[in-house]
Structure formats: C-alpha cells, structure tokens
Amino acid sequence: MTKRRVYLDHSATTPVDPRVASAMARAVVETFGNASSVHGFGQQARAAIDRARREVAALIGAKQNEIVFTSGGTEANNLALKGVTGYHPPSRVLYGVTDHPCVMEASEALKAVGWGVEPIAVDRDGIVRFEALAAQLERGPVRLVSVMRANNETGVIQDVKRIATMAHAADALMHVDAVQAAGKIPVDFVAWDCDLLSISSHKINGPKGIGALAVKSHVELAPQLHGGPQERGMRGGTENVPAIVGFGTAAEIAMHELAQRAAHMRALRDRVEAGLRGLPGIEVFAQKSERVPNTVQFALHGYDGEALLMQLDRKGFAVSSGSACASGKGEPSHVLIGMGIDRDTAKGAIRVSLGKDNTEPEVDQFLAALGSLAQQPAMAGAE
Ligand code: PLP
C-alpha cells in the first residue's frame, strides 16, 4: 500500500492545477514561436502572452500594460527595489521587518550603492507600527516603502492602503509584495493606491519560475535585465510562453474561484485552530490579527519545530517550520523574532498552510498525528 501523504504546505508552493497543466502542455507543443517574430508563429505566441497578461492583470485589478512578467516573486521584488532606486541619487528605502527575505536582502544590498535602508517595526501581532513608520518618514527623504500584503509565515494582513497613503504624503513610492495574498484574498492594485505590486504563479496553482511586477505608468524603473524590447524594455529575454500561459490560466481560475476557495480554506483553518486548542502549551501566532484564510502558525511550548516537522513528515504530513526559505538554517524565524516572540518559542514554530484541495478528514488526521506526537516525552525539550 502506498503511504498516505497529506500536503499542508501551500504557502511554500501549490500543486499545479490540472487545467493549468493542460493549457501549458498545449502551449509547449503548439505555441513555440518567438513572440518577437513577425510571422504567424511569432504572432501566435504574442497573442498567447497578451491573453495571459490580461488574465494576470484582471486578478490584481491592474491594466494589461502595467504587467511585467518576471521569473517569479523574487525577481519581481528585486526589480521593484533595484528598479526604482536605480536611476536615483541615493536616499532611503524602508521595508517591513517581517517581509520576505527577497525584499529584505534586495533592500540591504542597496546599502552597497549608498542607500540608507531601514526596517519598519511591527507589533506582537505582526502589524506595522504606524507611529514608528511616520517617524521614519519624517526623518528625511524616502524613495520607496515596501511592505507585504500577507505574511508567508503568520498570514498577517497589512493595511497597505494606509501605508501607501503615508508613503505618498512623504513623496515616497509604495511597493506591495502580494505574493501570499493573491489567490487567497482580493488584490486591488488601484484601491491599494500602490505604485508597484509583486505576485508569483506557483503560489496560485500555476507553474514555478514565473511571476509579475505590476508597475504604474508614472514609475521610472531601471531594468535589471538589459536586452531586447520584451516587457516594454523593463525585462529583456525571450518570453517563456508555456509558463506565461500557465500563469495566466492559474490567475483566471483563481479569480473565478476566489470566494469559494477562501471560504473552504477558512473553514479548514478554523478546524485546525479548534483542534490545536485541545493541545497543552499551544500558542497560535498573530491570532488576533486579520490573516489570510489558509495559514496558521503555532508553537508547542518545549518542542522543537524542525524536529516536529520531521516526525510529521515521517507520518505523511507535509508542513513547514516557518518559511521554506528560512527552514533548515536552524535559526528561528525572523518574522517571529521581528514580532518580539522569544527565541525558544520561535524555535517551536510550525506553519500549516491549506490549499483549495485539502479536506476535513486530512485536517483531522493531521490533528490526530500532532496530538500523538505531543504526548511523546522524547519530543519535548529538543533544542
Ligand atoms: N514574497 C513572498 C511573501 C513569498 O512568500 C515568496 C515565496 O515564498 C516570495 C516573495 C518569492 O516568490 P518566488 O518563490 O516566486 O520567487
């Protein structure tokens, strides 16, 4: 008998939707032309890209010509940070202290070319400290404020519209990393009034290696990949048509199924949380904050998150001990540390992130497995 495997790590990545896979398979075979070619093969590829661009734009409330396809969320965030600072004399960049490493590291890298780079503090619930941000904005010129809409570990949702208003009042641009928001909650490039916004295909049941940066027309962006005129000169290189088609299809499906998916994931997440309440020494992080409907991050006091994760994996349950990028380093999550959680508690962190295809029996089996592990004294006290 094959081993039961339950995937509860959708914030790391999602399985490709079969409808996306078939659209991609068709594109691989049929749409092989170079979209820059003037002949029919090229125009067929161009049409496929244009359609995907419309679908991706629709998911986030952007205009088609505001979308720049990239190799994923990491590149979109790098392009935002390096692109808006690239043509400007150094001033300052502010980023959320719980933001994804690709935002933090891209920001920190700007120090080498003379930029002042400052994290924006959050409170114990993971929410940006608005007074601290206001003080930072008053202290001198800021070129860009970058804050994520939804956190990849805790699921905490930031009021990015309020932050954008503060940034604009200080003459700064606003970038939102919406990688973990898309497909789970509505994303609105217009209503949020931000200047740049990043999303990634593999978080919405699309393929890996493709994402997008939405850029408003007034933003001057220094390209990071010079080459041909692709992506309006903002990102050179022959387009990966099957990946773009897959991303577009995933975006279209996500848009139509958003409400239903969100309700389904929320019900499962609430079931996880209700089950967790029955375990001794449980702390659910940022429980008081508004969060995306699929994510719950918690710690079992006295237990090591990495060890628990491996035991759960042996039992057939795939969860994460923080973000996929941070796990394996043996360091507690920078997100929890940023929220002021002590290191020992943070080391116990486990993230469960649900997907559209998870079921109630899977959640119940997971809770039973966790419950039995939590009763094993051998698991306790691991550091
Ligand atoms: N931003 C956030 C909030 C993420 O969670 C991730 C990936 O986990 C990224 C950016 C990077 O996206 P990608 O994996 O497409 O490079």
Side-chain angles (χ1 to χ4, degrees):
M1 208 174 80
T2 52
K3 195 176 153 195
R4 172 196 58 191
R5 288 172 75 212
V6 177
Y7 188 74
L8 300 171
D9 199 15
H10 293 81
S11 296
T13 196
T14 53
V16 173
D17 188 298
R19 294 165 286 182
V20 170
S22 30
M24 289 181 73
R26 276 198 307 280
V28 168
V29 178
E30 295 166 16
T31 320
F32 65 88
N34 184 326
S36 299
S37 301
V38 288
H39 50 61
F41 293 94
Q43 293 319 297
Q44 188 185 341
R46 171 62 51 215
I49 293 171
D50 286 349
R51 179 183 168 160
R53 203 184 295 282
R54 278 195 298 277
E55 291 165 333
V56 169
L59 178 68
I60 59 173
K63 294 187 199 126
Q64 193 186 331
N65 63 4
E66 290 171 331
I67 301 296
V68 177
F69 284 120
T70 64
S71 65
T74 298
E75 188 190 325
N77 286 339
N78 270 266
L79 179 57
L81 282 147
K82 295 171 187 169
V84 300
T85 52
Y87 287 143
H88 273 254
S91 60
R92 284 152 71 225
V93 163
L94 311 180
Y95 68 89
V97 72
T98 59
D99 268 51
H100 192 267
C102 64
V103 166
M104 297 167 55
E105 298 300 327
S107 303
E108 292 294 329
L110 295 170
K111 283 182 178 166
V113 283
W115 287 80
V117 178
E118 296 168 27
I120 308 163
V122 300
D123 63 20
R124 206 179 158 88
D125 296 315
I127 302 293
V128 159
R129 290 187 185 274
F130 293 103
E131 336 71 61
L133 172 59
Q136 284 172 305
L137 289 168
E138 269 167 29
R139 213 172 296 139
V142 172
R143 173 75 180 141
L144 180 73
V145 176
S146 182
V147 174
M148 67 197 336
R149 172 63 168 164
N151 187 272
N152 45 302
E153 294 190 23
T154 56
V156 166
I157 295 175
Q158 301 291 353
D159 186 347
V160 288
K161 184 172 165 46
R162 178 168 171 190
I163 299 169
T165 305
M166 292 171 74
H168 290 157
D171 257 347
L173 293 171
M174 174 75 188
H175 167 246
V176 175
D177 175 351
V179 165
Q180 293 289 351
K184 297 168 192 151
I185 52 172
V187 172
D188 197 331
F189 192 41
V190 174
W192 294 356
D193 196 24
C194 53
D195 306 288
L196 306 115
L197 182 148
S198 303
I199 53 168
S200 173
S201 153
H202 74 101
K203 310 289 187 181
I204 60 164
N205 302 96
K208 292 170 187 48
I210 185 79
L213 180 67
V215 187
K216 295 240 167 94
S217 59
H218 62 267
V219 177
E220 219 190 342
L221 202 68
Q224 302 301 303
L225 287 182
H226 292 93
Q230 294 92 351
E231 301 306 300
R232 290 178 290 125
M234 287 193 245
R235 205 266 188 183
T238 303
E239 299 90 339
N240 182 348
V241 179
I244 291 173
V245 166
F247 186 17
T249 309
E252 217 240 341
I253 297 171
M255 194 171 91
H256 286 107
E257 297 182 356
L258 183 70
Q260 165 204 333
R261 281 185 193 182
H264 174 70
M265 294 189 294
R266 187 181 302 280
L268 293 181
R269 201 266 312 269
D270 291 351
R271 197 175 180 91
V272 172
E273 291 191 1
L276 290 177
R277 280 195 285 274
L279 297 177
I282 271 281
E283 175 167 352
V284 174
F285 299 115
Q287 206 173 7
K288 281 193 268 159
S289 301
E290 195 190 345
R291 289 171 295 152
V292 281
N294 81 318
T295 309
V296 52
Q297 191 181 35
F298 60 91
L300 266 174
H301 286 291
Y303 288 77
D304 177 65
E306 288 280 322
L308 213 46
L309 176 149
M310 284 186 278
Q311 297 271 355
L312 284 164
D313 187 41
R314 262 177 234 134
K315 287 177 175 272
F317 298 93
V319 297
S320 159
S321 63
S323 69
C325 306
S327 54
K329 286 189 191 159
E331 277 299 304
S333 133
H334 79 278
V335 173
L336 296 176
I337 298 298
M339 287 161 58
I341 309 290
D342 66 83
R343 288 178 73 86
D344 281 348
T345 306
K347 276 194 164 187
I350 291 280
R351 176 188 69 186
V352 170
S353 49
L354 298 144
K356 68 184 179 68
D357 297 320
N358 283 130
T359 61
E360 284 186 359
E362 287 178 339
V363 164
D364 294 345
Q365 288 157 15
F366 164 73
L367 288 166
L370 183 67
S372 71
L373 287 174
Q375 272 158 21
Q376 290 175 18
M379 287 293 300
E383 261 291 304

